[in-house]
Amino acid sequence: QVQLVESGGGLVQAGGSLRLSCATSGRTFSSYTMGWFRQAPGKEREFVAVINWNDNTYSADSVKGRFTISRDNAKRTVSLQMNSLKPEDTAVYYCAASRNYYTTNPKEYLYWGQGTQVTVSS
């Protein structure tokens, strides 16, 4: 069992930055693929970024070059640095854990946090 708790969301002006963090429980954190997803009102949950156990990363085209995912296995945390934020980045952001090697499919993630709201004003 893995428990995930996100933090770091808030209100920011367009062009600003936020850093989201996800604290996890469980001694096998380093073996999980960790992902960030987001869901805006009235829209489906969408993939944002993923990092696997050996630090390979992949980001959605919509955030590439602006968002960076990273992990600290010693602290059992995964982070999402978000720069040059746009109003269309407004959503609830979720971190999630998967046993699959490297997946962007939310259905393949076993554990989810409760989400943290990010609001970008224009």
Side-chain angles (χ1 to χ4, degrees):
Q1 186 75 13
V2 177
Q3 293 183 326
L4 309 174
V5 179
E6 303 96 335
S7 62
L11 173 64
V12 64
Q13 289 188 332
S17 298
L18 282 174
R19 185 176 180 87
L20 304 183
S21 293
C22 177
T24 74
S25 64
R27 291 175 291 179
T28 59
F29 169 77
S30 61
S31 67
Y32 283 92
T33 288
M34 299 300 297
W36 284 97
F37 295 81
R38 66 186 181 186
Q39 188 166 17
K43 295 188 177 181
E44 293 187 354
R45 190 167 298 189
E46 67 172 356
F47 164 76
V48 175
V50 60
I51 185 167
N52 71 355
W53 62 272
N54 60 352
D55 286 345
N56 290 325
T57 65
Y58 178 74
S59 301
D61 287 344
S62 58
V63 306
K64 202 161 291 185
R66 300 188 298 121
F67 291 12
T68 302
I69 188 171
S70 60
R71 67 190 297 161
D72 185 330
N73 288 335
K75 295 182 178 179
R76 297 201 294 267
T77 60
V78 60
S79 299
L80 185 69
Q81 177 66 42
M82 306 186 296
N83 299 327
S84 302
L85 283 160
K86 305 176 181 180
E88 51 263 43
D89 294 318
T90 295
V92 177
Y93 283 71
Y94 300 89
C95 72
S98 173
R99 290 196 177 276
N100 289 4
Y101 178 65
Y102 200 52
T103 178
T104 64
N105 185 350
K107 295 181 180 180
E108 297 180 5
Y109 283 77
L110 294 174
Y111 305 106
W112 292 83
Q114 83 288 349
T116 185
Q117 176 70 46
V118 171
T119 302
V120 185
S121 63
S122 57

PDB file of all heavy atoms in Angstrom, residues 43-82:
ATOM      1  N   LYS A  43     -13.410  18.433 -17.782  1.00  0.00           N
ATOM      2  CA  LYS A  43     -12.504  17.721 -18.688  1.00  0.00           C
ATOM      3  C   LYS A  43     -12.032  16.418 -18.047  1.00  0.00           C
ATOM      4  O   LYS A  43     -12.110  16.241 -16.843  1.00  0.00           O
ATOM      5  CB  LYS A  43     -11.307  18.590 -19.044  1.00  0.00           C
ATOM      6  CG  LYS A  43     -11.658  19.832 -19.837  1.00  0.00           C
ATOM      7  CD  LYS A  43     -10.412  20.552 -20.314  1.00  0.00           C
ATOM      8  CE  LYS A  43     -10.764  21.752 -21.173  1.00  0.00           C
ATOM      9  NZ  LYS A  43      -9.535  22.448 -21.662  1.00  0.00           N
ATOM     10  N   GLU A  44     -11.544  15.528 -18.898  1.00  0.00           N
ATOM     11  CA  GLU A  44     -11.008  14.276 -18.403  1.00  0.00           C
ATOM     12  C   GLU A  44      -9.627  14.492 -17.781  1.00  0.00           C
ATOM     13  O   GLU A  44      -8.927  15.446 -18.109  1.00  0.00           O
ATOM     14  CB  GLU A  44     -10.915  13.257 -19.544  1.00  0.00           C
ATOM     15  CG  GLU A  44     -12.257  12.806 -20.076  1.00  0.00           C
ATOM     16  CD  GLU A  44     -12.136  11.687 -21.089  1.00  0.00           C
ATOM     17  OE1 GLU A  44     -10.995  11.335 -21.458  1.00  0.00           O
ATOM     18  OE2 GLU A  44     -13.176  11.169 -21.525  1.00  0.00           O
ATOM     19  N   ARG A  45      -9.255  13.568 -16.931  1.00  0.00           N
ATOM     20  CA  ARG A  45      -7.929  13.622 -16.342  1.00  0.00           C
ATOM     21  C   ARG A  45      -6.895  13.388 -17.442  1.00  0.00           C
ATOM     22  O   ARG A  45      -7.052  12.481 -18.267  1.00  0.00           O
ATOM     23  CB  ARG A  45      -7.794  12.566 -15.246  1.00  0.00           C
ATOM     24  CG  ARG A  45      -6.554  12.689 -14.418  1.00  0.00           C
ATOM     25  CD  ARG A  45      -6.652  11.814 -13.184  1.00  0.00           C
ATOM     26  NE  ARG A  45      -7.769  12.219 -12.326  1.00  0.00           N
ATOM     27  CZ  ARG A  45      -7.969  11.730 -11.107  1.00  0.00           C
ATOM     28  NH1 ARG A  45      -7.145  10.819 -10.614  1.00  0.00           N
ATOM     29  NH2 ARG A  45      -8.997  12.133 -10.399  1.00  0.00           N
ATOM     30  N   GLU A  46      -5.841  14.205 -17.453  1.00  0.00           N
ATOM     31  CA  GLU A  46      -4.842  14.080 -18.506  1.00  0.00           C
ATOM     32  C   GLU A  46      -3.449  13.935 -17.931  1.00  0.00           C
ATOM     33  O   GLU A  46      -3.135  14.462 -16.856  1.00  0.00           O
ATOM     34  CB  GLU A  46      -4.891  15.284 -19.457  1.00  0.00           C
ATOM     35  CG  GLU A  46      -4.484  16.596 -18.846  1.00  0.00           C
ATOM     36  CD  GLU A  46      -4.364  17.714 -19.890  1.00  0.00           C
ATOM     37  OE1 GLU A  46      -4.518  17.449 -21.090  1.00  0.00           O
ATOM     38  OE2 GLU A  46      -4.094  18.866 -19.464  1.00  0.00           O
ATOM     39  N   PHE A  47      -2.623  13.245 -18.696  1.00  0.00           N
ATOM     40  CA  PHE A  47      -1.234  13.029 -18.314  1.00  0.00           C
ATOM     41  C   PHE A  47      -0.443  14.326 -18.399  1.00  0.00           C
ATOM     42  O   PHE A  47      -0.631  15.120 -19.330  1.00  0.00           O
ATOM     43  CB  PHE A  47      -0.624  11.986 -19.247  1.00  0.00           C
ATOM     44  CG  PHE A  47       0.868  11.932 -19.231  1.00  0.00           C
ATOM     45  CD1 PHE A  47       1.539  11.334 -18.182  1.00  0.00           C
ATOM     46  CD2 PHE A  47       1.605  12.502 -20.255  1.00  0.00           C
ATOM     47  CE1 PHE A  47       2.921  11.295 -18.161  1.00  0.00           C
ATOM     48  CE2 PHE A  47       2.980  12.462 -20.249  1.00  0.00           C
ATOM     49  CZ  PHE A  47       3.636  11.864 -19.198  1.00  0.00           C
ATOM     50  N   VAL A  48       0.463  14.513 -17.430  1.00  0.00           N
ATOM     51  CA  VAL A  48       1.344  15.685 -17.436  1.00  0.00           C
ATOM     52  C   VAL A  48       2.805  15.257 -17.580  1.00  0.00           C
ATOM     53  O   VAL A  48       3.498  15.690 -18.496  1.00  0.00           O
ATOM     54  CB  VAL A  48       1.178  16.517 -16.152  1.00  0.00           C
ATOM     55  CG1 VAL A  48       2.190  17.665 -16.118  1.00  0.00           C
ATOM     56  CG2 VAL A  48      -0.248  17.055 -16.034  1.00  0.00           C
ATOM     57  N   ALA A  49       3.269  14.399 -16.674  1.00  0.00           N
ATOM     58  CA  ALA A  49       4.676  13.987 -16.711  1.00  0.00           C
ATOM     59  C   ALA A  49       4.844  12.686 -15.947  1.00  0.00           C
ATOM     60  O   ALA A  49       4.046  12.372 -15.059  1.00  0.00           O
ATOM     61  CB  ALA A  49       5.576  15.070 -16.109  1.00  0.00           C
ATOM     62  N   VAL A  50       5.898  11.949 -16.300  1.00  0.00           N
ATOM     63  CA  VAL A  50       6.183  10.670 -15.654  1.00  0.00           C
ATOM     64  C   VAL A  50       7.684  10.536 -15.435  1.00  0.00           C
ATOM     65  O   VAL A  50       8.493  11.059 -16.214  1.00  0.00           O
ATOM     66  CB  VAL A  50       5.652   9.490 -16.504  1.00  0.00           C
ATOM     67  CG1 VAL A  50       6.289   9.459 -17.883  1.00  0.00           C
ATOM     68  CG2 VAL A  50       5.837   8.156 -15.783  1.00  0.00           C
ATOM     69  N   ILE A  51       8.033   9.847 -14.353  1.00  0.00           N
ATOM     70  CA  ILE A  51       9.440   9.520 -14.080  1.00  0.00           C
ATOM     71  C   ILE A  51       9.485   8.093 -13.561  1.00  0.00           C
ATOM     72  O   ILE A  51       8.697   7.708 -12.700  1.00  0.00           O
ATOM     73  CB  ILE A  51      10.057  10.514 -13.074  1.00  0.00           C
ATOM     74  CG1 ILE A  51      11.554  10.248 -12.889  1.00  0.00           C
ATOM     75  CG2 ILE A  51       9.321  10.529 -11.746  1.00  0.00           C
ATOM     76  CD1 ILE A  51      12.277  11.391 -12.164  1.00  0.00           C
ATOM     77  N   ASN A  52      10.396   7.294 -14.104  1.00  0.00           N
ATOM     78  CA  ASN A  52      10.445   5.920 -13.625  1.00  0.00           C
ATOM     79  C   ASN A  52      11.606   5.733 -12.638  1.00  0.00           C
ATOM     80  O   ASN A  52      12.247   6.697 -12.210  1.00  0.00           O
ATOM     81  CB  ASN A  52      10.496   4.931 -14.791  1.00  0.00           C
ATOM     82  CG  ASN A  52      11.830   4.963 -15.526  1.00  0.00           C
ATOM     83  OD1 ASN A  52      12.688   5.791 -15.228  1.00  0.00           O
ATOM     84  ND2 ASN A  52      12.005   4.059 -16.462  1.00  0.00           N
ATOM     85  N   TRP A  53      11.826   4.479 -12.264  1.00  0.00           N
ATOM     86  CA  TRP A  53      12.732   4.201 -11.147  1.00  0.00           C
ATOM     87  C   TRP A  53      14.163   4.610 -11.442  1.00  0.00           C
ATOM     88  O   TRP A  53      14.939   4.891 -10.528  1.00  0.00           O
ATOM     89  CB  TRP A  53      12.668   2.718 -10.772  1.00  0.00           C
ATOM     90  CG  TRP A  53      13.106   1.803 -11.871  1.00  0.00           C
ATOM     91  CD1 TRP A  53      12.334   1.273 -12.859  1.00  0.00           C
ATOM     92  CD2 TRP A  53      14.433   1.341 -12.123  1.00  0.00           C
ATOM     93  NE1 TRP A  53      13.092   0.511 -13.697  1.00  0.00           N
ATOM     94  CE2 TRP A  53      14.381   0.531 -13.277  1.00  0.00           C
ATOM     95  CE3 TRP A  53      15.652   1.526 -11.482  1.00  0.00           C
ATOM     96  CZ2 TRP A  53      15.513  -0.091 -13.800  1.00  0.00           C
ATOM     97  CZ3 TRP A  53      16.779   0.907 -11.992  1.00  0.00           C
ATOM     98  CH2 TRP A  53      16.702   0.115 -13.142  1.00  0.00           C
ATOM     99  N   ASN A  54      14.546   4.664 -12.734  1.00  0.00           N
ATOM    100  CA  ASN A  54      15.927   5.054 -13.046  1.00  0.00           C
ATOM    101  C   ASN A  54      15.990   6.460 -13.654  1.00  0.00           C
ATOM    102  O   ASN A  54      16.896   6.773 -14.418  1.00  0.00           O
ATOM    103  CB  ASN A  54      16.588   4.041 -13.965  1.00  0.00           C
ATOM    104  CG  ASN A  54      15.870   3.876 -15.275  1.00  0.00           C
ATOM    105  OD1 ASN A  54      14.789   4.410 -15.458  1.00  0.00           O
ATOM    106  ND2 ASN A  54      16.464   3.160 -16.198  1.00  0.00           N
ATOM    107  N   ASP A  55      15.001   7.287 -13.280  1.00  0.00           N
ATOM    108  CA  ASP A  55      14.989   8.719 -13.611  1.00  0.00           C
ATOM    109  C   ASP A  55      14.769   9.037 -15.078  1.00  0.00           C
ATOM    110  O   ASP A  55      15.069  10.159 -15.507  1.00  0.00           O
ATOM    111  CB  ASP A  55      16.259   9.409 -13.105  1.00  0.00           C
ATOM    112  CG  ASP A  55      16.251   9.593 -11.600  1.00  0.00           C
ATOM    113  OD1 ASP A  55      15.172   9.452 -10.997  1.00  0.00           O
ATOM    114  OD2 ASP A  55      17.322   9.865 -11.036  1.00  0.00           O
ATOM    115  N   ASN A  56      14.287   8.116 -15.852  1.00  0.00           N
ATOM    116  CA  ASN A  56      13.828   8.467 -17.192  1.00  0.00           C
ATOM    117  C   ASN A  56      12.547   9.282 -17.052  1.00  0.00           C
ATOM    118  O   ASN A  56      11.668   8.929 -16.264  1.00  0.00           O
ATOM    119  CB  ASN A  56      13.555   7.220 -18.029  1.00  0.00           C
ATOM    120  CG  ASN A  56      14.835   6.496 -18.390  1.00  0.00           C
ATOM    121  OD1 ASN A  56      15.866   7.118 -18.611  1.00  0.00           O
ATOM    122  ND2 ASN A  56      14.779   5.180 -18.451  1.00  0.00           N
ATOM    123  N   THR A  57      12.442  10.344 -17.819  1.00  0.00           N
ATOM    124  CA  THR A  57      11.266  11.207 -17.731  1.00  0.00           C
ATOM    125  C   THR A  57      10.646  11.421 -19.097  1.00  0.00           C
ATOM    126  O   THR A  57      11.301  11.288 -20.133  1.00  0.00           O
ATOM    127  CB  THR A  57      11.620  12.573 -17.122  1.00  0.00           C
ATOM    128  OG1 THR A  57      12.518  13.269 -17.998  1.00  0.00           O
ATOM    129  CG2 THR A  57      12.262  12.423 -15.763  1.00  0.00           C
ATOM    130  N   TYR A  58       9.372  11.776 -19.044  1.00  0.00           N
ATOM    131  CA  TYR A  58       8.637  12.102 -20.265  1.00  0.00           C
ATOM    132  C   TYR A  58       7.524  13.057 -19.873  1.00  0.00           C
ATOM    133  O   TYR A  58       6.900  12.900 -18.825  1.00  0.00           O
ATOM    134  CB  TYR A  58       8.069  10.853 -20.916  1.00  0.00           C
ATOM    135  CG  TYR A  58       7.247  11.132 -22.152  1.00  0.00           C
ATOM    136  CD1 TYR A  58       7.868  11.490 -23.346  1.00  0.00           C
ATOM    137  CD2 TYR A  58       5.864  11.059 -22.122  1.00  0.00           C
ATOM    138  CE1 TYR A  58       7.124  11.765 -24.479  1.00  0.00           C
ATOM    139  CE2 TYR A  58       5.118  11.329 -23.247  1.00  0.00           C
ATOM    140  CZ  TYR A  58       5.750  11.674 -24.420  1.00  0.00           C
ATOM    141  OH  TYR A  58       5.012  11.949 -25.541  1.00  0.00           O
ATOM    142  N   SER A  59       7.313  14.076 -20.723  1.00  0.00           N
ATOM    143  CA  SER A  59       6.283  15.067 -20.427  1.00  0.00           C
ATOM    144  C   SER A  59       5.325  15.215 -21.601  1.00  0.00           C
ATOM    145  O   SER A  59       5.710  14.993 -22.750  1.00  0.00           O
ATOM    146  CB  SER A  59       6.926  16.420 -20.130  1.00  0.00           C
ATOM    147  OG  SER A  59       7.811  16.345 -19.033  1.00  0.00           O
ATOM    148  N   ALA A  60       4.116  15.634 -21.292  1.00  0.00           N
ATOM    149  CA  ALA A  60       3.146  15.929 -22.337  1.00  0.00           C
ATOM    150  C   ALA A  60       3.634  17.110 -23.171  1.00  0.00           C
ATOM    151  O   ALA A  60       4.317  18.008 -22.656  1.00  0.00           O
ATOM    152  CB  ALA A  60       1.798  16.245 -21.709  1.00  0.00           C
ATOM    153  N   ASP A  61       3.270  17.129 -24.428  1.00  0.00           N
ATOM    154  CA  ASP A  61       3.706  18.214 -25.313  1.00  0.00           C
ATOM    155  C   ASP A  61       3.262  19.580 -24.784  1.00  0.00           C
ATOM    156  O   ASP A  61       3.964  20.574 -24.964  1.00  0.00           O
ATOM    157  CB  ASP A  61       3.142  17.996 -26.713  1.00  0.00           C
ATOM    158  CG  ASP A  61       3.835  16.848 -27.444  1.00  0.00           C
ATOM    159  OD1 ASP A  61       4.923  16.422 -26.999  1.00  0.00           O
ATOM    160  OD2 ASP A  61       3.268  16.385 -28.450  1.00  0.00           O
ATOM    161  N   SER A  62       2.107  19.608 -24.144  1.00  0.00           N
ATOM    162  CA  SER A  62       1.554  20.888 -23.677  1.00  0.00           C
ATOM    163  C   SER A  62       2.396  21.523 -22.569  1.00  0.00           C
ATOM    164  O   SER A  62       2.278  22.724 -22.323  1.00  0.00           O
ATOM    165  CB  SER A  62       0.125  20.692 -23.189  1.00  0.00           C
ATOM    166  OG  SER A  62       0.083  19.734 -22.138  1.00  0.00           O
ATOM    167  N   VAL A  63       3.236  20.742 -21.902  1.00  0.00           N
ATOM    168  CA  VAL A  63       4.037  21.284 -20.797  1.00  0.00           C
ATOM    169  C   VAL A  63       5.536  21.149 -21.038  1.00  0.00           C
ATOM    170  O   VAL A  63       6.343  21.628 -20.229  1.00  0.00           O
ATOM    171  CB  VAL A  63       3.674  20.611 -19.457  1.00  0.00           C
ATOM    172  CG1 VAL A  63       2.185  20.710 -19.201  1.00  0.00           C
ATOM    173  CG2 VAL A  63       4.136  19.161 -19.407  1.00  0.00           C
ATOM    174  N   LYS A  64       5.908  20.523 -22.141  1.00  0.00           N
ATOM    175  CA  LYS A  64       7.322  20.280 -22.419  1.00  0.00           C
ATOM    176  C   LYS A  64       8.080  21.603 -22.501  1.00  0.00           C
ATOM    177  O   LYS A  64       7.634  22.559 -23.120  1.00  0.00           O
ATOM    178  CB  LYS A  64       7.451  19.510 -23.730  1.00  0.00           C
ATOM    179  CG  LYS A  64       8.746  18.746 -23.875  1.00  0.00           C
ATOM    180  CD  LYS A  64       8.613  17.660 -24.945  1.00  0.00           C
ATOM    181  CE  LYS A  64       7.696  16.557 -24.503  1.00  0.00           C
ATOM    182  NZ  LYS A  64       7.630  15.419 -25.460  1.00  0.00           N
ATOM    183  N   GLY A  65       9.220  21.629 -21.817  1.00  0.00           N
ATOM    184  CA  GLY A  65      10.020  22.839 -21.774  1.00  0.00           C
ATOM    185  C   GLY A  65       9.616  23.800 -20.671  1.00  0.00           C
ATOM    186  O   GLY A  65      10.323  24.772 -20.392  1.00  0.00           O
ATOM    187  N   ARG A  66       8.470  23.559 -20.037  1.00  0.00           N
ATOM    188  CA  ARG A  66       8.002  24.426 -18.944  1.00  0.00           C
ATOM    189  C   ARG A  66       7.941  23.686 -17.611  1.00  0.00           C
ATOM    190  O   ARG A  66       8.232  24.271 -16.570  1.00  0.00           O
ATOM    191  CB  ARG A  66       6.612  24.977 -19.263  1.00  0.00           C
ATOM    192  CG  ARG A  66       6.566  25.799 -20.531  1.00  0.00           C
ATOM    193  CD  ARG A  66       5.203  26.487 -20.700  1.00  0.00           C
ATOM    194  NE  ARG A  66       4.103  25.534 -20.820  1.00  0.00           N
ATOM    195  CZ  ARG A  66       3.054  25.489 -19.993  1.00  0.00           C
ATOM    196  NH1 ARG A  66       2.958  26.346 -19.009  1.00  0.00           N
ATOM    197  NH2 ARG A  66       2.097  24.597 -20.178  1.00  0.00           N
ATOM    198  N   PHE A  67       7.570  22.417 -17.639  1.00  0.00           N
ATOM    199  CA  PHE A  67       7.430  21.621 -16.418  1.00  0.00           C
ATOM    200  C   PHE A  67       8.558  20.591 -16.355  1.00  0.00           C
ATOM    201  O   PHE A  67       8.940  20.014 -17.370  1.00  0.00           O
ATOM    202  CB  PHE A  67       6.097  20.871 -16.406  1.00  0.00           C
ATOM    203  CG  PHE A  67       4.878  21.734 -16.260  1.00  0.00           C
ATOM    204  CD1 PHE A  67       4.916  23.110 -16.376  1.00  0.00           C
ATOM    205  CD2 PHE A  67       3.646  21.134 -16.011  1.00  0.00           C
ATOM    206  CE1 PHE A  67       3.781  23.888 -16.242  1.00  0.00           C
ATOM    207  CE2 PHE A  67       2.494  21.896 -15.874  1.00  0.00           C
ATOM    208  CZ  PHE A  67       2.560  23.278 -15.991  1.00  0.00           C
ATOM    209  N   THR A  68       9.027  20.344 -15.139  1.00  0.00           N
ATOM    210  CA  THR A  68      10.073  19.346 -14.932  1.00  0.00           C
ATOM    211  C   THR A  68       9.689  18.445 -13.761  1.00  0.00           C
ATOM    212  O   THR A  68       9.408  18.933 -12.665  1.00  0.00           O
ATOM    213  CB  THR A  68      11.426  20.007 -14.628  1.00  0.00           C
ATOM    214  OG1 THR A  68      11.782  20.878 -15.712  1.00  0.00           O
ATOM    215  CG2 THR A  68      12.512  18.956 -14.459  1.00  0.00           C
ATOM    216  N   ILE A  69       9.706  17.145 -14.007  1.00  0.00           N
ATOM    217  CA  ILE A  69       9.419  16.181 -12.952  1.00  0.00           C
ATOM    218  C   ILE A  69      10.737  15.642 -12.407  1.00  0.00           C
ATOM    219  O   ILE A  69      11.713  15.453 -13.151  1.00  0.00           O
ATOM    220  CB  ILE A  69       8.534  15.028 -13.480  1.00  0.00           C
ATOM    221  CG1 ILE A  69       8.063  14.131 -12.339  1.00  0.00           C
ATOM    222  CG2 ILE A  69       9.236  14.228 -14.567  1.00  0.00           C
ATOM    223  CD1 ILE A  69       7.012  13.105 -12.765  1.00  0.00           C
ATOM    224  N   SER A  70      10.760  15.409 -11.098  1.00  0.00           N
ATOM    225  CA  SER A  70      11.963  14.849 -10.472  1.00  0.00           C
ATOM    226  C   SER A  70      11.537  14.023  -9.266  1.00  0.00           C
ATOM    227  O   SER A  70      10.405  14.127  -8.793  1.00  0.00           O
ATOM    228  CB  SER A  70      12.928  15.956 -10.039  1.00  0.00           C
ATOM    229  OG  SER A  70      12.318  16.823  -9.096  1.00  0.00           O
ATOM    230  N   ARG A  71      12.454  13.192  -8.777  1.00  0.00           N
ATOM    231  CA  ARG A  71      12.145  12.372  -7.608  1.00  0.00           C
ATOM    232  C   ARG A  71      13.364  12.303  -6.701  1.00  0.00           C
ATOM    233  O   ARG A  71      14.511  12.431  -7.144  1.00  0.00           O
ATOM    234  CB  ARG A  71      11.705  10.981  -8.019  1.00  0.00           C
ATOM    235  CG  ARG A  71      12.770  10.121  -8.658  1.00  0.00           C
ATOM    236  CD  ARG A  71      12.167   8.833  -9.251  1.00  0.00           C
ATOM    237  NE  ARG A  71      11.574   7.981  -8.229  1.00  0.00           N
ATOM    238  CZ  ARG A  71      10.692   7.028  -8.511  1.00  0.00           C
ATOM    239  NH1 ARG A  71      10.294   6.813  -9.758  1.00  0.00           N
ATOM    240  NH2 ARG A  71      10.213   6.279  -7.538  1.00  0.00           N
ATOM    241  N   ASP A  72      13.094  12.096  -5.425  1.00  0.00           N
ATOM    242  CA  ASP A  72      14.140  11.896  -4.438  1.00  0.00           C
ATOM    243  C   ASP A  72      13.781  10.610  -3.709  1.00  0.00           C
ATOM    244  O   ASP A  72      12.900  10.592  -2.848  1.00  0.00           O
ATOM    245  CB  ASP A  72      14.192  13.082  -3.471  1.00  0.00           C
ATOM    246  CG  ASP A  72      15.338  12.990  -2.482  1.00  0.00           C
ATOM    247  OD1 ASP A  72      15.754  11.870  -2.118  1.00  0.00           O
ATOM    248  OD2 ASP A  72      15.814  14.044  -2.044  1.00  0.00           O
ATOM    249  N   ASN A  73      14.459   9.535  -4.075  1.00  0.00           N
ATOM    250  CA  ASN A  73      14.099   8.236  -3.503  1.00  0.00           C
ATOM    251  C   ASN A  73      14.415   8.157  -2.022  1.00  0.00           C
ATOM    252  O   ASN A  73      13.725   7.454  -1.271  1.00  0.00           O
ATOM    253  CB  ASN A  73      14.813   7.124  -4.256  1.00  0.00           C
ATOM    254  CG  ASN A  73      14.233   6.910  -5.637  1.00  0.00           C
ATOM    255  OD1 ASN A  73      13.074   7.212  -5.906  1.00  0.00           O
ATOM    256  ND2 ASN A  73      15.057   6.402  -6.550  1.00  0.00           N
ATOM    257  N   ALA A  74      15.445   8.861  -1.579  1.00  0.00           N
ATOM    258  CA  ALA A  74      15.786   8.843  -0.156  1.00  0.00           C
ATOM    259  C   ALA A  74      14.679   9.484   0.678  1.00  0.00           C
ATOM    260  O   ALA A  74      14.379   9.030   1.787  1.00  0.00           O
ATOM    261  CB  ALA A  74      17.108   9.546   0.076  1.00  0.00           C
ATOM    262  N   LYS A  75      14.076  10.552   0.151  1.00  0.00           N
ATOM    263  CA  LYS A  75      13.006  11.255   0.867  1.00  0.00           C
ATOM    264  C   LYS A  75      11.626  10.725   0.487  1.00  0.00           C
ATOM    265  O   LYS A  75      10.628  11.148   1.055  1.00  0.00           O
ATOM    266  CB  LYS A  75      13.085  12.752   0.588  1.00  0.00           C
ATOM    267  CG  LYS A  75      14.344  13.406   1.117  1.00  0.00           C
ATOM    268  CD  LYS A  75      14.339  14.899   0.840  1.00  0.00           C
ATOM    269  CE  LYS A  75      15.590  15.559   1.407  1.00  0.00           C
ATOM    270  NZ  LYS A  75      15.614  17.026   1.127  1.00  0.00           N
ATOM    271  N   ARG A  76      11.593   9.845  -0.509  1.00  0.00           N
ATOM    272  CA  ARG A  76      10.326   9.279  -0.994  1.00  0.00           C
ATOM    273  C   ARG A  76       9.373  10.374  -1.462  1.00  0.00           C
ATOM    274  O   ARG A  76       8.194  10.393  -1.101  1.00  0.00           O
ATOM    275  CB  ARG A  76       9.681   8.385   0.057  1.00  0.00           C
ATOM    276  CG  ARG A  76      10.509   7.166   0.427  1.00  0.00           C
ATOM    277  CD  ARG A  76       9.645   6.093   1.046  1.00  0.00           C
ATOM    278  NE  ARG A  76       9.108   6.527   2.328  1.00  0.00           N
ATOM    279  CZ  ARG A  76       9.673   6.295   3.491  1.00  0.00           C
ATOM    280  NH1 ARG A  76      10.821   5.661   3.546  1.00  0.00           N
ATOM    281  NH2 ARG A  76       9.102   6.684   4.609  1.00  0.00           N
ATOM    282  N   THR A  77       9.902  11.292  -2.247  1.00  0.00           N
ATOM    283  CA  THR A  77       9.087  12.378  -2.784  1.00  0.00           C
ATOM    284  C   THR A  77       9.262  12.489  -4.294  1.00  0.00           C
ATOM    285  O   THR A  77      10.294  12.106  -4.840  1.00  0.00           O
ATOM    286  CB  THR A  77       9.451  13.726  -2.151  1.00  0.00           C
ATOM    287  OG1 THR A  77      10.832  14.016  -2.424  1.00  0.00           O
ATOM    288  CG2 THR A  77       9.229  13.717  -0.652  1.00  0.00           C
ATOM    289  N   VAL A  78       8.240  13.007  -4.923  1.00  0.00           N
ATOM    290  CA  VAL A  78       8.313  13.348  -6.345  1.00  0.00           C
ATOM    291  C   VAL A  78       7.799  14.775  -6.487  1.00  0.00           C
ATOM    292  O   VAL A  78       6.866  15.181  -5.789  1.00  0.00           O
ATOM    293  CB  VAL A  78       7.502  12.356  -7.210  1.00  0.00           C
ATOM    294  CG1 VAL A  78       6.040  12.352  -6.817  1.00  0.00           C
ATOM    295  CG2 VAL A  78       7.663  12.666  -8.675  1.00  0.00           C
ATOM    296  N   SER A  79       8.445  15.540  -7.345  1.00  0.00           N
ATOM    297  CA  SER A  79       8.128  16.952  -7.481  1.00  0.00           C
ATOM    298  C   SER A  79       7.815  17.304  -8.922  1.00  0.00           C
ATOM    299  O   SER A  79       8.232  16.599  -9.853  1.00  0.00           O
ATOM    300  CB  SER A  79       9.300  17.810  -6.987  1.00  0.00           C
ATOM    301  OG  SER A  79       9.570  17.571  -5.624  1.00  0.00           O
ATOM    302  N   LEU A  80       7.101  18.401  -9.085  1.00  0.00           N
ATOM    303  CA  LEU A  80       6.805  18.935 -10.412  1.00  0.00           C
ATOM    304  C   LEU A  80       7.075  20.434 -10.370  1.00  0.00           C
ATOM    305  O   LEU A  80       6.324  21.180  -9.729  1.00  0.00           O
ATOM    306  CB  LEU A  80       5.360  18.666 -10.815  1.00  0.00           C
ATOM    307  CG  LEU A  80       4.986  19.070 -12.232  1.00  0.00           C
ATOM    308  CD1 LEU A  80       5.691  18.156 -13.247  1.00  0.00           C
ATOM    309  CD2 LEU A  80       3.473  19.013 -12.437  1.00  0.00           C
ATOM    310  N   GLN A  81       8.147  20.848 -11.002  1.00  0.00           N
ATOM    311  CA  GLN A  81       8.460  22.270 -11.105  1.00  0.00           C
ATOM    312  C   GLN A  81       7.751  22.818 -12.324  1.00  0.00           C
ATOM    313  O   GLN A  81       7.955  22.338 -13.446  1.00  0.00           O
ATOM    314  CB  GLN A  81       9.974  22.468 -11.235  1.00  0.00           C
ATOM    315  CG  GLN A  81      10.396  23.910 -11.414  1.00  0.00           C
ATOM    316  CD  GLN A  81      10.110  24.757 -10.191  1.00  0.00           C
ATOM    317  OE1 GLN A  81      10.343  24.323  -9.060  1.00  0.00           O
ATOM    318  NE2 GLN A  81       9.601  25.965 -10.403  1.00  0.00           N
ATOM    319  N   MET A  82       6.923  23.830 -12.110  1.00  0.00           N
ATOM    320  CA  MET A  82       6.114  24.385 -13.186  1.00  0.00           C
ATOM    321  C   MET A  82       6.500  25.837 -13.395  1.00  0.00           C
ATOM    322  O   MET A  82       6.325  26.664 -12.496  1.00  0.00           O
ATOM    323  CB  MET A  82       4.631  24.259 -12.841  1.00  0.00           C
ATOM    324  CG  MET A  82       4.200  22.846 -12.488  1.00  0.00           C
ATOM    325  SD  MET A  82       2.416  22.679 -12.261  1.00  0.00           S
ATOM    326  CE  MET A  82       2.172  23.732 -10.832  1.00  0.00           C
TER     327      MET A  82
END
